[in-house]
Amino acid sequence: GAGVSQSPSNKVTEKGKDVELRCDPISGHTALYWYRQRLGQGLEFLIYFQGNSAPDKSGLPSDRFSAERTGESVSTLTIQRTQQEDSAVYLCASSSRTGNSPLHFGNGTRLTVT
Amino acid sequence: AQSVTQLGSHVSVSEGALVLLRCNYSSSVPPYLFWYVQYPNQGLQLLLKYTSAATLVKGINGFEAEFKKSETSFHLTKPSAHMSDAAEYFCAVSEQGGSEKLVFGKGTKLTVNP
């Protein structure tokens, strides 16, 4: 596709359930990033991938959060045993290379935990 | 580790007035610096970036930013605000030759009054 695609666009789940958020980056982009944006807050770094490996997982808030990337393409962010504080917009971005290349953002997945 | 501070979570200007959005960064190595903009109900998009060439960087829609190493600042300016500039603006930093992580500030919401 022409841009970064995220699915679903909206997800409502009950506390304690697991959720999977998907990101399809721009074809050929080697770097992929996940951010979280809580209501009224800035962008909180979660994790980034260079190819299929994740050199920096320092932003993952807890061991309930995990992410993987396969084929240097699609990435999945999984949140286990969701909590209400996990409610946020989860943004994915990709770039052709890291460093000074601009990020191209998807429209995000709005997660609501009830 | 790099970090970004944006002074003022909300800035309000009159149409035609100067826009000044402040950003200070911290980085142990020379930085790459970015401004991203998020218009209402849209994804983030790159406004401009500094990559150690010219210290004065021009971006889209008449915005520019000046890198001042001595002040560790990268403030965003526009001589004359337009109603369409109303949006949230995010400053971001990554490290040249270091971590590829892009760290964002908390954002500044710009309101333009008629």
Side-chain angles (χ1 to χ4, degrees), chain B residues 30-46:
Chain B
Y32 294 126
L33 293 159
F34 306 79
W35 277 98
Y36 283 82
V37 59
Q38 187 173 32
Y39 296 105
N41 301 314
Q42 294 186 29
L44 279 89
Q45 57 184 281
L46 181 70

Side-chain angles (χ1 to χ4, degrees), chain A residues 82-95:
Chain A
T82 52
Q83 303 294 312
Q84 287 187 332
E85 62 262 28
D86 299 335
S87 296
V89 175
Y90 289 82
L91 292 168
C92 176
S94 69
S95 70

Side-chain angles (χ1 to χ4, degrees), chain B residues 62-77:
Chain B
F63 283 93
E64 61 182 38
E66 185 173 8
F67 171 66
K68 291 187 176 181
K69 183 179 179 181
S70 60
E71 298 177 8
T72 60
S73 69
F74 191 57
H75 301 330
L76 182 71
T77 60

Side-chain angles (χ1 to χ4, degrees), chain B residues 12-107:
Chain B
S12 183
V13 300
S14 299
E15 191 173 19
L18 171 71
V19 176
L20 171 61
L21 305 181
R22 298 178 186 275
C23 171
N24 288 87
Y25 71 90
S26 172
S27 176
S28 56
V29 300
Y32 294 126
L33 293 159
F34 306 79
W35 277 98
Y36 283 82
V37 59
Q38 187 173 32
Y39 296 105
N41 301 314
Q42 294 186 29
L44 279 89
Q45 57 184 281
L46 181 70
L47 199 56
L48 51 79
K49 66 177 182 180
Y50 164 76
T51 59
S52 75
T55 56
L56 182 62
V57 182
K58 294 187 184 297
I60 60 172
N61 300 335
F63 283 93
E64 61 182 38
E66 185 173 8
F67 171 66
K68 291 187 176 181
K69 183 179 179 181
S70 60
E71 298 177 8
T72 60
S73 69
F74 191 57
H75 301 330
L76 182 71
T77 60
K78 181 174 180 177
S80 177
H82 192 273
M83 297 295 289
S84 61
D85 294 327
E88 189 151 22
Y89 293 81
F90 294 91
C91 183
V93 62
S94 64
E95 294 181 334
Q96 295 186 33
S99 167
E100 309 293 2
K101 181 169 69 176
L102 186 63
V103 173
F104 284 81
K106 293 188 181 298

Side-chain angles (χ1 to χ4, degrees), chain A residues 55-74:
Chain A
D56 192 334
K57 302 180 182 180
S58 63
L60 294 177
S62 74
D63 59 8
R64 296 187 295 106
F65 287 71
S66 63
E68 65 176 16
R69 188 181 186 193
T70 56
E72 296 195 358
S73 179
V74 173

